[in-house]
Amino acid sequence: MSNRHLARSIAMQSLYQWDFRNQNVSLEEALRRNLAEFAPGLDQEDQSFAVEIIEGVRKHLAEVDAIIVKYAPEWPLNQITLVDRNVLRVGVYELKFNQAIPSKVAINEAIELAKTFGGESSGRFINGVLGAIYKKMSEGGELKTIDLENKETDG
């Protein structure tokens, strides 16, 4: 498992715990505990990447959740499983708001998290939602600069 994938995994698990407790726990404390328990050897750069994800998701939470609701209309947000909801939050944050992450990487990483932590159909669900968002971004000329630079290999 790559260090960035591990950092995403720890960030998603921390967001899961935060969401499970109705956002009434310290997200930073959950992240700190999860890093210590599941990734004690993760270097500072990758730990900072996990912090960036949780801070980005929290900063854009209302927008991220609105995007999820728009692209998963059959599933009210509170009826999406906690794992899938938080995998989507990480994926949507990276897809829409983190300009340093290529779109296809954001989608593929979210699918892998869903396959690892979610249920039998989680990977397909995450792929469907994020794929629809990516398609709309592409149609609307909203692709990230990094995607446009790598158009041949990324899209």
Side-chain angles (χ1 to χ4, degrees):
M1 177 184 304
S2 78
N3 287 346
R4 282 218 156 184
H5 181 76
L6 180 57
R8 277 184 186 91
S9 173
I10 299 297
M12 190 283 298
Q13 291 175 62
S14 302
L15 287 162
Y16 172 94
Q17 292 170 340
W18 180 65
D19 197 14
F20 181 78
R21 302 222 170 139
N22 298 314
Q23 303 175 2
N24 288 326
V25 299
S26 166
L27 190 48
E28 292 77 13
E29 180 61 25
L31 179 63
R32 187 191 62 72
R33 278 194 320 270
N34 288 332
L35 284 168
E37 183 172 348
F38 300 113
L42 202 60
D43 67 29
Q44 187 58 46
E45 182 179 339
D46 293 317
Q47 288 183 30
S48 295
F49 182 64
V51 170
E52 178 185 333
I53 292 169
I54 64 164
E55 287 178 352
V57 169
R58 184 170 40 203
K59 176 181 177 184
H60 297 284
L61 187 62
E63 296 161 283
V64 166
D65 283 354
I67 291 167
I68 294 169
V69 167
K70 179 178 179 179
Y71 288 91
E74 303 290 319
W75 291 93
L77 194 62
N78 65 349
Q79 290 183 12
I80 298 173
T81 67
L82 282 171
V83 168
D84 291 354
R85 181 167 56 227
N86 287 289
V87 168
L88 279 171
R89 284 174 171 160
V90 170
V92 169
Y93 162 70
E94 288 194 330
L95 185 60
K96 293 286 285 182
F97 300 100
N98 189 328
Q99 295 300 311
I101 305 296
S103 296
K104 299 277 175 111
V105 170
I107 294 168
N108 289 335
E109 286 290 325
I111 292 168
E112 290 305 313
L113 288 174
K115 287 178 180 178
T116 301
F117 296 101
E120 188 176 309
S121 62
S122 292
R124 288 188 306 277
F125 176 64
I126 300 300
N127 185 42
V129 174
L130 296 180
I133 296 167
Y134 177 81
K135 182 179 179 189
K136 186 68 171 176
M137 288 171 65
S138 181
E139 290 170 353
E142 298 176 50
L143 288 180
K144 301 175 190 179
T145 305
I146 196 165
D147 290 337
L148 297 173
E149 291 169 358
N150 300 310
K151 186 100 170 120
E152 264 183 52
T153 58
D154 193 44

